[in-house]
Amino acid sequence: MVTLKAQEIVVRLQARTLLHGASFTACSGESIAIIGPNGAGKSTLLKSLAGLLRPASGSTTYDDAPISSMTAAGRASVIGYVPQHFNPHWDIQVTDLMQISLERSRASVQRGTLDAALRTHDIEPLRDRWWSTLSGGERNRVLLAMVLATAPPVLLADEPAANLDPRCRLEMVERLSAYGRTALSIVVMHDIDLAFRYFDRILLLNDGRIVADGATAEVYDAPILEDVFGVSFIRSQHENVKTIHPGNVAPTR
Amino acid sequence: MVRYWCTLALLLIGAVLFGACAGHTWVTPADVLNAAMGDTSMQAMLLREWRLPRVVAALLVGALLGLGGAIFQGVFRNPLAEPYLLGSAGGAALGATIALLVPLSLSQAFALPLFAFLGAWGATLLVIGVARTAGALDVPTLLLSGVAISAVLGALRSFLMLALSDETVSLQVVLSWVLGGMQTPTWGGVGILAALTLVSLFACIALAPGLDRLGLGETMATAYGMDVHRFVMLAVLVAAATVAISVSVGGLVGFVGLAAPHIARWHLGPLHRVVIPASAAIGAILVTVADAIARSALPPAEIPLGLVTAVAGGPFFLLLLARSRKW
């Protein structure tokens, strides 16, 4: 059981303030979707949680230890980060990618460990494929497998499924949210409908501030969604699945 | 994989034998063997004292260039990166020019390698220092600093060459060094070079896991627990030292450091733990053969080694490039 706590995180880039004091607390067993319009600070928040970005003030603590005081290796062993875009610089085989990924936590990787990791993450059939020959969906599966190979207690993902076909996308989002059953999974979601369908908790960002933070069911009905995104939403329910889709552009007030 | 390493080993032995046989006067492999066994004939003595140390030195210089090239390409993740990228060529040339043209109280056999090494190593340190002051130790800043420092060092060398040359000092000696002048060291010198090469080899192999991680991109490498800037600086320092050692004995030998890592990757894939040793072996083969050609093609004159590697290597590299599917 781990706790990740963001306290008043402020991030500045030159003269612009990207995050104005974001705070929240999250624990193992939660799957959280971060949503918000473009430029709201979603990726910035995720990166500062991952320790990839040093905030101007405020801090993120992992089980009461500030991540800024952790060693890079220590941080990497507890936090798995999935970037929005990933492309290795050299064309490389899937098995080698997994090997490099497993080396995060141990100096030498036995063949058995590697095989087991490939099987556990369902990418055994892809093991000898070169990165350049993988489809978008396969790439995302491999990327997720790489990050989860060392079973980090915290998963931070910048929705890597945004450009996939519907099936791959659903599978990917399902995997990301399912990781939050045992660990903590925080995912920046661009698809609002999927965010509400798959995650327990929603963090809504606007202009570098967390403007709503609550259980999915609460935020689903909140009128603040319309205010933040500047559109009207059509909420509907088929059988047990609640959906939410943008309707019309709201008149600017 | 095993077959590939065996092939490399056989090629390396073949290259050494070829290098030992080639020269102003060609000898048979049997002569070489006799000389190595301690035969006391004039020919055997000449082979032992002059040709064999030169062949081994060429092999080591090639291995160092292969190592340096592999590290630089790994750090800069750029297939065009080569060992002389961060000012070491300009620095080495400046150092050598000083050693060759400025009257010093040191013997030239000692001053030339020393000054070339100091120039190459110092130039890279300067590049890193400038990049650090200029803002960041990231790849674009390092590359730009390298270009700027190289230009300044080149201009300095040209000035020195103009200012110091007169009827008594020929510029040809400087020019031939810059184009790749292999020195013929004593066996003691070869021993030192071999020890340094071994240290470089182990240092470079130790960098391999980090380079593999860096190959995933800086964001991923950082997320995987790597202090990217620190690692880049460390790797550049190791590679620059490696290149400076090669320069001190081999002068500026173009193209080998660029090609060797590529040739290694074509067969072995991009993992640095295999690319680095393979690149060292390929560099050693290339320079040993090129040096043999340089010594034997136009007797009694010697062609600068750098010209041989460029003339023979360029088209060969293009051919391989055209045939390869990856990289």
Side-chain angles (χ1 to χ4, degrees):
Chain A
M1 178 76 180
V2 299
T3 309
L4 194 71
K5 194 185 271 180
Q7 287 163 313
E8 291 297 323
I9 295 182
V10 176
V11 175
R12 290 199 186 87
L13 185 70
Q14 290 158 4
R16 239 170 79 81
T17 305
L18 302 180
L19 278 182
H20 302 264
S23 303
F24 70 94
T25 305
C27 303
S28 303
E30 277 191 289
S31 65
I32 303 176
I34 302 178
I35 61 171
N38 294 335
K42 305 184 293 291
S43 297
T44 307
L45 176 60
L46 200 75
K47 277 185 189 151
S48 53
L49 291 177
L52 299 176
L53 234 172
R54 189 172 280 273
S57 68
S59 69
T60 307
T61 57
Y62 173 86
D63 273 349
D64 293 331
I67 60 162
S68 57
S69 68
M70 293 164 86
T71 62
R75 198 190 62 225
S77 69
V78 292
I79 296 175
Y81 175 78
V82 180
Q84 193 171 10
H85 305 288
F86 169 69
N87 227 343
H89 285 276
W90 312 104
D91 200 3
I92 185 170
Q93 281 173 305
V94 169
T95 158
D96 291 341
L97 282 171
M98 282 302 272
Q99 161 120 16
I100 297 171
S101 301
L102 284 164
E103 280 167 2
R104 264 180 298 167
S105 61
R106 46 179 82 81
S108 73
V109 175
Q110 305 297 318
R111 199 176 168 89
T113 319
L114 184 61
D115 292 343
L118 288 163
R119 272 196 305 276
T120 313
H121 296 281
D122 287 340
I123 54 169
E124 172 76 41
L126 303 176
R127 63 178 299 156
D128 291 326
R129 295 267 301 276
W130 291 85
W131 178 263
S132 61
T133 70
L134 297 176
S135 71
E138 289 167 338
R139 287 182 183 194
N140 278 294
R141 260 166 63 202
V142 171
L143 174 59
L144 192 62
M146 286 165 62
V147 174
L148 297 185
T150 55
V154 178
L155 170 67
L156 302 173
D158 207 339
E159 192 198 345
N163 54 355
L164 299 182
D165 62 49
R167 187 194 164 99
C168 290
R169 192 169 192 178
L170 282 182
E171 279 175 358
M172 176 56 62
V173 173
E174 221 166 66
R175 280 170 200 268
L176 290 169
S177 66
Y179 197 68
R181 271 178 223 137
T182 48
L184 169 59
S185 172
I186 303 180
V187 183
V188 168
M189 289 293 298
H190 299 276
D191 187 313
I192 298 164
D193 180 48
L194 293 183
F196 281 100
R197 252 168 76 186
Y198 282 102
F199 291 84
D200 312 334
R201 181 174 159 192
I202 302 286
L203 280 185
L204 175 62
L205 254 71
N206 192 25
D207 277 338
R209 292 187 175 82
I210 297 177
V211 291
D213 173 4
T216 304
E218 290 167 27
V219 183
Y220 179 81
D221 290 316
I224 193 169
L225 280 178
E226 270 83 358
D227 292 345
V228 165
F229 284 97
V231 295
S232 63
F233 282 104
I234 302 162
R235 297 171 175 79
S236 53
Q237 186 162 0
H238 303 287
E239 289 158 13
N240 263 338
V241 182
K242 280 182 167 180
T243 61
I244 176 164
H245 291 288
N248 297 313
V249 173
T252 36
R253 276 166 292 174
Chain B
M1 190 78 134
V2 174
R3 236 178 77 195
Y4 189 78
W5 289 107
C6 291
T7 314
L8 276 186
L10 283 178
L11 281 175
L12 194 57
I13 294 168
V16 169
L17 210 57
F18 174 64
C21 294
H24 300 177
T25 50
W26 287 72
V27 298
T28 63
D31 295 333
V32 173
L33 211 64
N34 279 339
M37 300 305 268
D39 190 56
T40 50
S41 72
M42 189 62 174
Q43 188 197 41
M45 302 258 285
L46 281 175
L47 279 178
R48 209 158 47 229
E49 292 310 312
W50 288 98
R51 196 175 286 174
L52 292 182
R54 165 83 178 244
V55 170
V56 178
L59 180 145
L60 294 172
V61 163
L64 289 165
L65 286 173
L67 290 173
I71 302 281
F72 273 121
Q73 286 181 8
V75 168
F76 294 106
R77 285 153 281 149
N78 185 328
L80 286 178
E82 47 107 19
Y84 304 133
L85 196 62
L86 293 187
S88 43
L94 181 63
T97 307
I98 293 172
L100 291 168
L101 295 185
V102 179
L104 300 160
S105 51
L106 293 161
S107 88
Q108 211 171 71
F110 180 68
L112 187 58
L114 182 70
F115 278 53
F117 176 86
L118 289 179
W121 175 242
T124 307
L125 289 189
L126 193 63
V127 167
I128 293 173
V130 167
R132 205 168 187 175
T133 330
L137 272 177
D138 55 14
V139 170
T141 317
L142 274 173
L143 288 179
L144 287 173
S145 311
V147 171
I149 302 259
S150 295
V152 173
L153 293 174
L156 270 178
R157 181 173 65 90
S158 302
F159 172 75
L160 273 185
M161 284 170 71
L162 286 176
L164 293 175
S165 66
D166 51 37
E167 296 80 45
T168 58
V169 184
S170 164
L171 286 182
Q172 203 186 347
V173 58
V174 176
L175 198 60
S176 95
W177 188 90
V178 169
L179 292 174
M182 266 301 291
Q183 310 296 306
T184 301
T186 60
W187 278 114
V190 170
I192 296 173
L193 184 62
L196 290 173
T197 306
L198 217 58
V199 172
S200 293
L201 178 68
F202 285 123
C204 291
I205 288 175
L207 291 171
L211 290 171
D212 287 335
R213 214 177 267 192
L214 197 59
L216 304 180
E218 289 192 17
T219 306
M220 251 341 225
T222 311
Y224 273 15
M226 176 186 239
D227 186 338
V228 170
H229 284 184
R230 223 176 105 183
F231 177 80
V232 164
M233 191 164 77
L234 184 71
V236 165
L237 287 175
V238 168
T242 303
V243 175
I245 298 165
S246 88
V247 160
S248 70
V249 181
L252 299 176
V253 184
F255 168 78
V256 172
L258 174 69
H262 283 286
I263 298 171
R265 273 194 296 268
W266 284 334
H267 293 278
L268 296 170
L271 278 193
H272 285 88
R273 58 206 75 180
V274 287
V275 165
I276 286 174
S279 175
I282 292 166
I285 295 167
L286 291 179
V287 174
T288 309
V289 172
D291 184 57
I293 296 170
R295 283 183 286 112
S296 60
L298 289 176
E302 186 176 304
I303 309 169
L305 176 56
L307 290 188
V308 177
T309 56
V311 168
F316 164 72
F317 187 51
L318 287 176
L319 186 79
L320 287 179
L321 197 64
R323 287 180 50 191
S324 74
R325 280 155 297 142
K326 293 176 183 296
W327 303 286

